PDB file of all heavy atoms in Angstrom:
ATOM      1  N   ILE A 809     -10.191  -0.069  -7.269  1.00  0.00           N
ATOM      2  CA  ILE A 809     -10.199   0.262  -5.848  1.00  0.00           C
ATOM      3  C   ILE A 809     -10.960  -0.803  -5.040  1.00  0.00           C
ATOM      4  O   ILE A 809     -10.494  -1.222  -3.988  1.00  0.00           O
ATOM      5  CB  ILE A 809     -10.815   1.668  -5.631  1.00  0.00           C
ATOM      6  CG1 ILE A 809      -9.821   2.752  -6.103  1.00  0.00           C
ATOM      7  CG2 ILE A 809     -11.145   1.932  -4.167  1.00  0.00           C
ATOM      8  CD1 ILE A 809     -10.408   4.151  -6.140  1.00  0.00           C
ATOM      9  N   LEU A 810     -12.077  -1.258  -5.583  1.00  0.00           N
ATOM     10  CA  LEU A 810     -12.849  -2.290  -4.914  1.00  0.00           C
ATOM     11  C   LEU A 810     -12.015  -3.593  -4.832  1.00  0.00           C
ATOM     12  O   LEU A 810     -11.975  -4.224  -3.761  1.00  0.00           O
ATOM     13  CB  LEU A 810     -14.157  -2.562  -5.653  1.00  0.00           C
ATOM     14  CG  LEU A 810     -15.031  -3.648  -5.108  1.00  0.00           C
ATOM     15  CD1 LEU A 810     -15.512  -3.243  -3.649  1.00  0.00           C
ATOM     16  CD2 LEU A 810     -16.254  -3.843  -6.002  1.00  0.00           C
ATOM     17  N   PHE A 811     -11.348  -3.960  -5.900  1.00  0.00           N
ATOM     18  CA  PHE A 811     -10.507  -5.155  -5.920  1.00  0.00           C
ATOM     19  C   PHE A 811      -9.370  -5.021  -4.904  1.00  0.00           C
ATOM     20  O   PHE A 811      -9.089  -5.984  -4.165  1.00  0.00           O
ATOM     21  CB  PHE A 811      -9.958  -5.404  -7.325  1.00  0.00           C
ATOM     22  CG  PHE A 811      -9.104  -6.644  -7.433  1.00  0.00           C
ATOM     23  CD1 PHE A 811      -9.646  -7.899  -7.240  1.00  0.00           C
ATOM     24  CD2 PHE A 811      -7.760  -6.511  -7.687  1.00  0.00           C
ATOM     25  CE1 PHE A 811      -8.811  -8.995  -7.349  1.00  0.00           C
ATOM     26  CE2 PHE A 811      -6.943  -7.583  -7.797  1.00  0.00           C
ATOM     27  CZ  PHE A 811      -7.481  -8.876  -7.605  1.00  0.00           C
ATOM     28  N   SER A 812      -8.794  -3.837  -4.805  1.00  0.00           N
ATOM     29  CA  SER A 812      -7.714  -3.617  -3.840  1.00  0.00           C
ATOM     30  C   SER A 812      -8.186  -3.720  -2.438  1.00  0.00           C
ATOM     31  O   SER A 812      -7.495  -4.220  -1.585  1.00  0.00           O
ATOM     32  CB  SER A 812      -7.078  -2.282  -4.094  1.00  0.00           C
ATOM     33  OG  SER A 812      -6.484  -2.171  -5.376  1.00  0.00           O
ATOM     34  N   MET A 813      -9.398  -3.241  -2.186  1.00  0.00           N
ATOM     35  CA  MET A 813      -9.986  -3.351  -0.827  1.00  0.00           C
ATOM     36  C   MET A 813     -10.209  -4.789  -0.452  1.00  0.00           C
ATOM     37  O   MET A 813     -10.017  -5.212   0.692  1.00  0.00           O
ATOM     38  CB  MET A 813     -11.244  -2.501  -0.701  1.00  0.00           C
ATOM     39  CG  MET A 813     -10.990  -1.039  -0.736  1.00  0.00           C
ATOM     40  SD  MET A 813     -12.479  -0.047  -0.766  1.00  0.00           S
ATOM     41  CE  MET A 813     -13.110  -0.330   0.833  1.00  0.00           C
ATOM     42  N   ILE A 814     -10.678  -5.569  -1.421  1.00  0.00           N
ATOM     43  CA  ILE A 814     -10.947  -7.020  -1.194  1.00  0.00           C
ATOM     44  C   ILE A 814      -9.611  -7.750  -0.843  1.00  0.00           C
ATOM     45  O   ILE A 814      -9.533  -8.516   0.103  1.00  0.00           O
ATOM     46  CB  ILE A 814     -11.663  -7.654  -2.339  1.00  0.00           C
ATOM     47  CG1 ILE A 814     -13.092  -7.114  -2.435  1.00  0.00           C
ATOM     48  CG2 ILE A 814     -11.694  -9.168  -2.196  1.00  0.00           C
ATOM     49  CD1 ILE A 814     -13.809  -7.495  -3.667  1.00  0.00           C
ATOM     50  N   VAL A 815      -8.575  -7.457  -1.663  1.00  0.00           N
ATOM     51  CA  VAL A 815      -7.292  -8.081  -1.412  1.00  0.00           C
ATOM     52  C   VAL A 815      -6.704  -7.673  -0.067  1.00  0.00           C
ATOM     53  O   VAL A 815      -6.170  -8.479   0.671  1.00  0.00           O
ATOM     54  CB  VAL A 815      -6.318  -7.703  -2.559  1.00  0.00           C
ATOM     55  CG1 VAL A 815      -4.854  -8.107  -2.229  1.00  0.00           C
ATOM     56  CG2 VAL A 815      -6.709  -8.369  -3.835  1.00  0.00           C
ATOM     57  N   SER A 816      -6.900  -6.382   0.320  1.00  0.00           N
ATOM     58  CA  SER A 816      -6.445  -5.929   1.569  1.00  0.00           C
ATOM     59  C   SER A 816      -7.162  -6.614   2.740  1.00  0.00           C
ATOM     60  O   SER A 816      -6.546  -7.011   3.740  1.00  0.00           O
ATOM     61  CB  SER A 816      -6.671  -4.379   1.666  1.00  0.00           C
ATOM     62  OG  SER A 816      -6.379  -3.936   2.977  1.00  0.00           O
ATOM     63  N   GLY A 817      -8.464  -6.745   2.604  1.00  0.00           N
ATOM     64  CA  GLY A 817      -9.216  -7.487   3.660  1.00  0.00           C
ATOM     65  C   GLY A 817      -8.781  -8.930   3.781  1.00  0.00           C
ATOM     66  O   GLY A 817      -8.672  -9.465   4.925  1.00  0.00           O
ATOM     67  N   LEU A 818      -8.525  -9.576   2.674  1.00  0.00           N
ATOM     68  CA  LEU A 818      -7.992 -10.958   2.736  1.00  0.00           C
ATOM     69  C   LEU A 818      -6.669 -11.016   3.377  1.00  0.00           C
ATOM     70  O   LEU A 818      -6.375 -11.986   4.120  1.00  0.00           O
ATOM     71  CB  LEU A 818      -8.009 -11.553   1.328  1.00  0.00           C
ATOM     72  CG  LEU A 818      -9.340 -11.831   0.712  1.00  0.00           C
ATOM     73  CD1 LEU A 818      -9.181 -12.299  -0.767  1.00  0.00           C
ATOM     74  CD2 LEU A 818     -10.040 -12.931   1.476  1.00  0.00           C
ATOM     75  N   ALA A 819      -5.799 -10.110   3.075  1.00  0.00           N
ATOM     76  CA  ALA A 819      -4.448 -10.106   3.709  1.00  0.00           C
ATOM     77  C   ALA A 819      -4.549  -9.883   5.232  1.00  0.00           C
ATOM     78  O   ALA A 819      -3.881 -10.528   5.971  1.00  0.00           O
ATOM     79  CB  ALA A 819      -3.588  -8.981   3.081  1.00  0.00           C
ATOM     80  N   ILE A 820      -5.456  -8.996   5.650  1.00  0.00           N
ATOM     81  CA  ILE A 820      -5.646  -8.754   7.052  1.00  0.00           C
ATOM     82  C   ILE A 820      -6.176 -10.037   7.721  1.00  0.00           C
ATOM     83  O   ILE A 820      -5.674 -10.438   8.790  1.00  0.00           O
ATOM     84  CB  ILE A 820      -6.610  -7.582   7.316  1.00  0.00           C
ATOM     85  CG1 ILE A 820      -5.936  -6.261   6.901  1.00  0.00           C
ATOM     86  CG2 ILE A 820      -7.065  -7.513   8.773  1.00  0.00           C
ATOM     87  CD1 ILE A 820      -6.857  -5.070   6.904  1.00  0.00           C
ATOM     88  N   ALA A 821      -7.114 -10.673   7.118  1.00  0.00           N
ATOM     89  CA  ALA A 821      -7.690 -11.872   7.663  1.00  0.00           C
ATOM     90  C   ALA A 821      -6.651 -13.037   7.750  1.00  0.00           C
ATOM     91  O   ALA A 821      -6.565 -13.737   8.714  1.00  0.00           O
ATOM     92  CB  ALA A 821      -8.876 -12.350   6.795  1.00  0.00           C
ATOM     93  N   LEU A 822      -5.806 -13.135   6.740  1.00  0.00           N
ATOM     94  CA  LEU A 822      -4.749 -14.176   6.793  1.00  0.00           C
ATOM     95  C   LEU A 822      -3.729 -13.938   7.852  1.00  0.00           C
ATOM     96  O   LEU A 822      -3.269 -14.883   8.506  1.00  0.00           O
ATOM     97  CB  LEU A 822      -4.092 -14.302   5.421  1.00  0.00           C
ATOM     98  CG  LEU A 822      -4.920 -14.962   4.301  1.00  0.00           C
ATOM     99  CD1 LEU A 822      -4.203 -14.855   2.960  1.00  0.00           C
ATOM    100  CD2 LEU A 822      -5.241 -16.401   4.662  1.00  0.00           C
ATOM    101  N   VAL A 823      -3.349 -12.695   8.061  1.00  0.00           N
ATOM    102  CA  VAL A 823      -2.371 -12.376   9.106  1.00  0.00           C
ATOM    103  C   VAL A 823      -2.978 -12.690  10.483  1.00  0.00           C
ATOM    104  O   VAL A 823      -2.307 -13.259  11.360  1.00  0.00           O
ATOM    105  CB  VAL A 823      -1.899 -10.950   9.014  1.00  0.00           C
ATOM    106  CG1 VAL A 823      -1.070 -10.545  10.192  1.00  0.00           C
ATOM    107  CG2 VAL A 823      -1.041 -10.770   7.746  1.00  0.00           C
ATOM    108  N   ARG A 824      -4.231 -12.290  10.640  1.00  0.00           N
ATOM    109  CA  ARG A 824      -4.910 -12.587  11.956  1.00  0.00           C
ATOM    110  C   ARG A 824      -5.070 -14.058  12.172  1.00  0.00           C
ATOM    111  O   ARG A 824      -4.950 -14.537  13.270  1.00  0.00           O
ATOM    112  CB  ARG A 824      -6.250 -11.788  12.037  1.00  0.00           C
ATOM    113  CG  ARG A 824      -6.129 -10.333  12.112  1.00  0.00           C
ATOM    114  CD  ARG A 824      -5.464  -9.896  13.382  1.00  0.00           C
ATOM    115  NE  ARG A 824      -6.348 -10.087  14.500  1.00  0.00           N
ATOM    116  CZ  ARG A 824      -6.038 -10.032  15.751  1.00  0.00           C
ATOM    117  NH1 ARG A 824      -4.787  -9.735  16.099  1.00  0.00           N
ATOM    118  NH2 ARG A 824      -6.889 -10.237  16.732  1.00  0.00           N
ATOM    119  N   TRP A 825      -5.395 -14.785  11.134  1.00  0.00           N
ATOM    120  CA  TRP A 825      -5.633 -16.210  11.205  1.00  0.00           C
ATOM    121  C   TRP A 825      -4.282 -16.916  11.551  1.00  0.00           C
ATOM    122  O   TRP A 825      -4.307 -17.944  12.292  1.00  0.00           O
ATOM    123  CB  TRP A 825      -6.132 -16.706   9.871  1.00  0.00           C
ATOM    124  CG  TRP A 825      -6.586 -18.143   9.843  1.00  0.00           C
ATOM    125  CD1 TRP A 825      -7.075 -18.858  10.867  1.00  0.00           C
ATOM    126  CD2 TRP A 825      -6.661 -19.008   8.708  1.00  0.00           C
ATOM    127  NE1 TRP A 825      -7.446 -20.104  10.472  1.00  0.00           N
ATOM    128  CE2 TRP A 825      -7.188 -20.239   9.138  1.00  0.00           C
ATOM    129  CE3 TRP A 825      -6.316 -18.819   7.359  1.00  0.00           C
ATOM    130  CZ2 TRP A 825      -7.350 -21.285   8.262  1.00  0.00           C
ATOM    131  CZ3 TRP A 825      -6.506 -19.883   6.520  1.00  0.00           C
ATOM    132  CH2 TRP A 825      -7.026 -21.094   6.960  1.00  0.00           C
ATOM    133  N   ASP A 826      -3.173 -16.326  11.115  1.00  0.00           N
ATOM    134  CA  ASP A 826      -1.870 -16.922  11.403  1.00  0.00           C
ATOM    135  C   ASP A 826      -1.416 -16.562  12.803  1.00  0.00           C
ATOM    136  O   ASP A 826      -0.370 -17.034  13.288  1.00  0.00           O
ATOM    137  CB  ASP A 826      -0.849 -16.414  10.398  1.00  0.00           C
ATOM    138  CG  ASP A 826       0.436 -17.226  10.421  1.00  0.00           C
ATOM    139  OD1 ASP A 826       0.384 -18.418  10.660  1.00  0.00           O
ATOM    140  OD2 ASP A 826       1.497 -16.563  10.182  1.00  0.00           O
ATOM    141  N   GLY A 827      -2.159 -15.722  13.511  1.00  0.00           N
ATOM    142  CA  GLY A 827      -1.814 -15.355  14.892  1.00  0.00           C
ATOM    143  C   GLY A 827      -1.061 -14.076  15.051  1.00  0.00           C
ATOM    144  O   GLY A 827      -0.534 -13.766  16.122  1.00  0.00           O
ATOM    145  N   GLY A 828      -1.047 -13.248  14.013  1.00  0.00           N
ATOM    146  CA  GLY A 828      -0.388 -11.968  14.054  1.00  0.00           C
ATOM    147  C   GLY A 828      -1.230 -10.951  14.840  1.00  0.00           C
ATOM    148  O   GLY A 828      -2.406 -11.069  15.028  1.00  0.00           O
ATOM    149  N   THR A 829      -0.516  -9.911  15.269  1.00  0.00           N
ATOM    150  CA  THR A 829      -1.203  -8.857  16.048  1.00  0.00           C
ATOM    151  C   THR A 829      -2.004  -7.972  15.088  1.00  0.00           C
ATOM    152  O   THR A 829      -1.802  -7.999  13.872  1.00  0.00           O
ATOM    153  CB  THR A 829      -0.190  -7.993  16.797  1.00  0.00           C
ATOM    154  OG1 THR A 829       0.688  -7.352  15.837  1.00  0.00           O
ATOM    155  CG2 THR A 829       0.637  -8.852  17.743  1.00  0.00           C
ATOM    156  N   LEU A 830      -2.897  -7.150  15.623  1.00  0.00           N
ATOM    157  CA  LEU A 830      -3.717  -6.324  14.824  1.00  0.00           C
ATOM    158  C   LEU A 830      -2.861  -5.222  14.120  1.00  0.00           C
ATOM    159  O   LEU A 830      -3.111  -4.972  12.871  1.00  0.00           O
ATOM    160  CB  LEU A 830      -4.826  -5.627  15.680  1.00  0.00           C
ATOM    161  CG  LEU A 830      -5.809  -4.790  14.959  1.00  0.00           C
ATOM    162  CD1 LEU A 830      -6.547  -5.628  13.875  1.00  0.00           C
ATOM    163  CD2 LEU A 830      -6.779  -4.172  15.885  1.00  0.00           C
ATOM    164  N   PRO A 831      -1.906  -4.582  14.784  1.00  0.00           N
ATOM    165  CA  PRO A 831      -1.095  -3.637  14.021  1.00  0.00           C
ATOM    166  C   PRO A 831      -0.329  -4.273  12.856  1.00  0.00           C
ATOM    167  O   PRO A 831      -0.205  -3.702  11.767  1.00  0.00           O
ATOM    168  CB  PRO A 831      -0.087  -3.060  15.055  1.00  0.00           C
ATOM    169  CG  PRO A 831      -0.838  -3.207  16.357  1.00  0.00           C
ATOM    170  CD  PRO A 831      -1.616  -4.521  16.200  1.00  0.00           C
ATOM    171  N   ALA A 832       0.163  -5.490  13.046  1.00  0.00           N
ATOM    172  CA  ALA A 832       0.847  -6.195  11.965  1.00  0.00           C
ATOM    173  C   ALA A 832      -0.084  -6.501  10.850  1.00  0.00           C
ATOM    174  O   ALA A 832       0.258  -6.395   9.669  1.00  0.00           O
ATOM    175  CB  ALA A 832       1.505  -7.433  12.493  1.00  0.00           C
ATOM    176  N   ALA A 833      -1.304  -6.886  11.170  1.00  0.00           N
ATOM    177  CA  ALA A 833      -2.270  -7.229  10.178  1.00  0.00           C
ATOM    178  C   ALA A 833      -2.707  -6.009   9.363  1.00  0.00           C
ATOM    179  O   ALA A 833      -2.845  -6.048   8.128  1.00  0.00           O
ATOM    180  CB  ALA A 833      -3.540  -7.860  10.827  1.00  0.00           C
ATOM    181  N   LEU A 834      -2.869  -4.889  10.050  1.00  0.00           N
ATOM    182  CA  LEU A 834      -3.254  -3.641   9.365  1.00  0.00           C
ATOM    183  C   LEU A 834      -2.116  -3.185   8.469  1.00  0.00           C
ATOM    184  O   LEU A 834      -2.346  -2.625   7.346  1.00  0.00           O
ATOM    185  CB  LEU A 834      -3.648  -2.582  10.338  1.00  0.00           C
ATOM    186  CG  LEU A 834      -4.932  -2.802  11.115  1.00  0.00           C
ATOM    187  CD1 LEU A 834      -5.168  -1.721  12.120  1.00  0.00           C
ATOM    188  CD2 LEU A 834      -6.103  -2.876  10.146  1.00  0.00           C
ATOM    189  N   SER A 835      -0.902  -3.291   8.965  1.00  0.00           N
ATOM    190  CA  SER A 835       0.257  -2.934   8.121  1.00  0.00           C
ATOM    191  C   SER A 835       0.332  -3.828   6.879  1.00  0.00           C
ATOM    192  O   SER A 835       0.566  -3.290   5.780  1.00  0.00           O
ATOM    193  CB  SER A 835       1.532  -3.060   8.950  1.00  0.00           C
ATOM    194  OG  SER A 835       2.668  -2.799   8.139  1.00  0.00           O
ATOM    195  N   ARG A 836       0.169  -5.062   7.001  1.00  0.00           N
ATOM    196  CA  ARG A 836       0.227  -6.006   5.888  1.00  0.00           C
ATOM    197  C   ARG A 836      -0.912  -5.708   4.901  1.00  0.00           C
ATOM    198  O   ARG A 836      -0.747  -5.815   3.723  1.00  0.00           O
ATOM    199  CB  ARG A 836       0.176  -7.429   6.372  1.00  0.00           C
ATOM    200  CG  ARG A 836       0.480  -8.485   5.351  1.00  0.00           C
ATOM    201  CD  ARG A 836       1.901  -8.386   4.868  1.00  0.00           C
ATOM    202  NE  ARG A 836       2.839  -8.525   5.991  1.00  0.00           N
ATOM    203  CZ  ARG A 836       3.965  -9.166   5.926  1.00  0.00           C
ATOM    204  NH1 ARG A 836       4.337  -9.711   4.847  1.00  0.00           N
ATOM    205  NH2 ARG A 836       4.786  -9.171   6.973  1.00  0.00           N
ATOM    206  N   GLY A 837      -2.093  -5.355   5.464  1.00  0.00           N
ATOM    207  CA  GLY A 837      -3.197  -5.061   4.601  1.00  0.00           C
ATOM    208  C   GLY A 837      -2.975  -3.773   3.853  1.00  0.00           C
ATOM    209  O   GLY A 837      -3.336  -3.660   2.665  1.00  0.00           O
ATOM    210  N   GLY A 838      -2.318  -2.750   4.467  1.00  0.00           N
ATOM    211  CA  GLY A 838      -1.983  -1.540   3.782  1.00  0.00           C
ATOM    212  C   GLY A 838      -1.017  -1.782   2.618  1.00  0.00           C
ATOM    213  O   GLY A 838      -1.140  -1.190   1.545  1.00  0.00           O
ATOM    214  N   VAL A 839      -0.011  -2.630   2.883  1.00  0.00           N
ATOM    215  CA  VAL A 839       0.928  -2.976   1.813  1.00  0.00           C
ATOM    216  C   VAL A 839       0.212  -3.688   0.680  1.00  0.00           C
ATOM    217  O   VAL A 839       0.484  -3.397  -0.519  1.00  0.00           O
ATOM    218  CB  VAL A 839       2.091  -3.830   2.403  1.00  0.00           C
ATOM    219  CG1 VAL A 839       2.939  -4.428   1.302  1.00  0.00           C
ATOM    220  CG2 VAL A 839       2.922  -3.005   3.353  1.00  0.00           C
ATOM    221  N   ALA A 840      -0.639  -4.599   1.020  1.00  0.00           N
ATOM    222  CA  ALA A 840      -1.389  -5.372  -0.044  1.00  0.00           C
ATOM    223  C   ALA A 840      -2.309  -4.420  -0.832  1.00  0.00           C
ATOM    224  O   ALA A 840      -2.420  -4.524  -2.046  1.00  0.00           O
ATOM    225  CB  ALA A 840      -2.247  -6.477   0.605  1.00  0.00           C
ATOM    226  N   PHE A 841      -2.942  -3.481  -0.117  1.00  0.00           N
ATOM    227  CA  PHE A 841      -3.836  -2.479  -0.837  1.00  0.00           C
ATOM    228  C   PHE A 841      -3.001  -1.638  -1.781  1.00  0.00           C
ATOM    229  O   PHE A 841      -3.366  -1.471  -2.959  1.00  0.00           O
ATOM    230  CB  PHE A 841      -4.538  -1.626   0.219  1.00  0.00           C
ATOM    231  CG  PHE A 841      -5.406  -0.545  -0.409  1.00  0.00           C
ATOM    232  CD1 PHE A 841      -6.643  -0.861  -0.852  1.00  0.00           C
ATOM    233  CD2 PHE A 841      -4.943   0.726  -0.564  1.00  0.00           C
ATOM    234  CE1 PHE A 841      -7.469   0.095  -1.438  1.00  0.00           C
ATOM    235  CE2 PHE A 841      -5.735   1.711  -1.129  1.00  0.00           C
ATOM    236  CZ  PHE A 841      -6.991   1.417  -1.590  1.00  0.00           C
ATOM    237  N   GLY A 842      -1.916  -1.118  -1.283  1.00  0.00           N
ATOM    238  CA  GLY A 842      -1.057  -0.221  -2.121  1.00  0.00           C
ATOM    239  C   GLY A 842      -0.468  -0.976  -3.309  1.00  0.00           C
ATOM    240  O   GLY A 842      -0.440  -0.433  -4.406  1.00  0.00           O
ATOM    241  N   GLY A 843       0.002  -2.178  -3.081  1.00  0.00           N
ATOM    242  CA  GLY A 843       0.569  -2.937  -4.196  1.00  0.00           C
ATOM    243  C   GLY A 843      -0.434  -3.305  -5.242  1.00  0.00           C
ATOM    244  O   GLY A 843      -0.179  -3.198  -6.464  1.00  0.00           O
ATOM    245  N   THR A 844      -1.616  -3.703  -4.807  1.00  0.00           N
ATOM    246  CA  THR A 844      -2.660  -4.137  -5.740  1.00  0.00           C
ATOM    247  C   THR A 844      -3.151  -2.929  -6.529  1.00  0.00           C
ATOM    248  O   THR A 844      -3.339  -2.979  -7.765  1.00  0.00           O
ATOM    249  CB  THR A 844      -3.832  -4.782  -5.012  1.00  0.00           C
ATOM    250  OG1 THR A 844      -3.303  -5.827  -4.224  1.00  0.00           O
ATOM    251  CG2 THR A 844      -4.878  -5.275  -5.955  1.00  0.00           C
ATOM    252  N   LEU A 845      -3.344  -1.781  -5.807  1.00  0.00           N
ATOM    253  CA  LEU A 845      -3.859  -0.606  -6.548  1.00  0.00           C
ATOM    254  C   LEU A 845      -2.804  -0.090  -7.545  1.00  0.00           C
ATOM    255  O   LEU A 845      -3.123   0.362  -8.603  1.00  0.00           O
ATOM    256  CB  LEU A 845      -4.210   0.485  -5.559  1.00  0.00           C
ATOM    257  CG  LEU A 845      -4.937   1.708  -6.095  1.00  0.00           C
ATOM    258  CD1 LEU A 845      -6.263   1.233  -6.694  1.00  0.00           C
ATOM    259  CD2 LEU A 845      -5.220   2.660  -4.990  1.00  0.00           C
TER     260      LEU A 845
END
């Protein structure tokens, strides 16, 4: 769970760094969390 949260946070940061909106970043982070877990 901790590893999945770290991956999710990194995915959110990468989407925001690329210029994505916050809802898109949260969605991508949720997908990354679910996939990793």
Side-chain angles (χ1 to χ4, degrees):
I809 290 172
L810 180 63
F811 180 66
S812 298
M813 290 175 68
I814 291 169
V815 169
S816 174
L818 288 173
I820 291 171
L822 286 174
V823 171
R824 290 296 289 168
W825 189 27
D826 194 35
T829 62
L830 185 59
L834 291 175
S835 175
R836 191 65 58 144
V839 168
F841 178 81
T844 306
L845 191 58

